[in-house]
């Protein structure tokens, strides 16, 4: 039975490459046409494949519906939280998780620093969108047109001398973040607070959330915090793998199609 299931499931990635006829399916599986036909009929009955008028098979609408439902029911906070706790235990600093919703970047999870001096931030609270590392990561993944439209609508409060001053500067920063795959806020919101962050990606390579590690200067310098970047990125990659269900790390890197959007 396990071999039958394995063969049936092997048909799906084949058809993801494009429609195939019975002979092509049989050849790819290394089975007789009658065996391939039984498998295709079973998948067809469940709506996972569809037989076209030219007698070739393609992926069925039910498969896409199931995939969409699964994505909609994924809770990135639930998936990410154990990883955030583990990172916090290693570095001791505040760890945040954020998402982009309705033109705002919101914190949806936080693991507090173990040090006496802590950050004032709350779950559900919008971040300072023009300076926060998590905001840069989330907005950098948008298309160029979307980035430009958002940048031109934003206000640019000068929280500190290092705050992003205007739309052109913000767009340049987003372009850099998009290219390098990580972001910082080194005293841009509060002079005494530094932050380094990395993106969390779905199976299609698009950024679904962003995470960061933040710490005040009295605890760790900006230079010392930046040495944690590899660990932060590895944590984001691990969350991406769990969220996308790849288990291989393919969710860490944006696809060519996604990056071009």
């Amino acid at each position: 039975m396990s071999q039958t299931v394995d063969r049936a499931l092997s048909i799906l990635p084949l058809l993801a490459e494009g429609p195939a006829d019975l002979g092509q399916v049989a050849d790819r599986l290394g089975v007789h046409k009658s065996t391939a036909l039984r498998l295709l009929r079973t998948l067809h009955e469940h709506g996972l494949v569809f037989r076209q008028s030219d007698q070739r098979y393609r992926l069925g609408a039910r498969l896409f519906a199931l995939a969409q439902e699964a994505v909609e029911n994924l809770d990135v906070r639930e998936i990410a939280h154990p990883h955030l706790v583990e990172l916090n235990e290693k570095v001791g600093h505040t760890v945040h998780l954020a998402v982009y919703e309705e033109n705002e970047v919101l914190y949806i999870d936080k693991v507090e620093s173990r040090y006496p001096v802590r950050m004032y931030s709350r779950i559900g609270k919008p971040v300072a969108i023009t300076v926060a590392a998590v905001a840069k990561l989330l907005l950098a993944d948008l298309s160029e047109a979307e980035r430009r439209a958002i940048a031109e609508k934003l206000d640019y409060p000068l929280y500190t001398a290092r705050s992003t001053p205007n739309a052109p500067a913000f767009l340049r920063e987003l372009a850099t973040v998009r290219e390098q795959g990580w972001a910082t806020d080194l005293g841009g919101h509060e002079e005494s607070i530094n932050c380094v962050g990395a993106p969390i990606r779905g199976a299609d390579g698009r950024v679904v959330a962003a995470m960061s590690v933040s710490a005040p200067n009295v605890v760790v310098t900006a230079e010392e915090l930046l040495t944690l970047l590899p660990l932060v990125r590895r944590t984001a990659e691990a969350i991406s793998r769990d969220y996308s269900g790849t288990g291989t790390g393919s969710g860490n890197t944006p696809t060519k199609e996604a990056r071009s959007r």
Side-chain angles (χ1 to χ4, degrees), residues 9-216:
L9 293 177
S10 297
I11 293 174
L12 300 180
L14 165 62
L15 298 185
E17 299 172 7
D21 61 28
L22 179 60
Q24 291 172 312
V25 173
D27 289 343
R28 178 67 71 90
L29 297 182
V31 300
H32 193 273
K33 285 186 178 180
S34 61
T35 300
L37 182 59
R38 286 198 302 272
L39 296 172
L40 286 165
R41 282 176 174 170
T42 299
L43 293 172
H44 184 271
E45 289 171 1
H46 289 276
L48 302 181
V49 304
F50 177 79
R51 188 173 67 177
Q52 302 177 158
S53 58
D54 62 3
Q55 306 306 308
R56 293 190 301 166
Y57 293 84
R58 62 171 171 79
L59 294 179
R62 177 61 176 158
L63 185 64
F64 295 106
L66 289 172
Q68 182 62 34
E69 185 177 353
V71 170
E72 291 175 354
N73 288 327
L74 283 176
D75 184 345
V76 68
R77 181 184 181 278
E78 180 179 355
I79 293 170
H81 188 73
H83 295 280
L84 304 183
V85 170
E86 181 178 357
L87 178 61
N88 170 266
E89 290 173 348
K90 289 179 179 178
V91 302
H93 307 306
T94 301
V95 182
H96 286 111
L97 180 70
V99 295
Y100 181 57
E101 290 184 354
E102 299 181 355
N103 299 317
E104 289 186 320
V105 176
L106 305 171
Y107 288 129
I108 61 171
D109 201 3
K110 176 184 180 181
V111 185
E112 288 280 9
S113 167
R114 66 167 173 251
Y115 296 99
V117 181
R118 297 182 175 181
M119 287 188 61
Y120 176 73
S121 57
R122 296 196 309 270
I123 295 174
K125 181 182 178 181
V127 309
I129 198 168
T130 60
V131 292
V134 288
K136 295 172 189 176
L137 289 160
L138 290 160
L139 297 183
D141 190 61
L142 301 176
S143 69
E144 182 178 358
E146 290 174 309
R147 297 197 303 271
R148 188 168 299 279
I150 291 171
E152 291 174 353
K153 292 178 182 178
L154 291 174
D155 295 324
Y156 292 86
L158 296 178
Y159 302 106
T160 75
R162 296 184 179 182
S163 298
T164 308
N166 50 47
F170 190 50
L171 288 169
R172 288 194 297 271
E173 178 73 6
L174 294 184
T176 299
V177 170
R178 185 179 177 88
E179 180 64 28
Q180 69 190 14
W182 50 274
T184 61
D185 170 15
L186 303 180
H189 188 218
E190 297 180 55
E191 287 279 4
S192 61
I193 301 293
N194 298 305
C195 176
V196 59
I200 296 165
R201 301 183 185 274
D204 61 356
R206 300 305 302 273
V207 175
V208 297
M211 58 157 294
S212 65
V213 170
S214 304

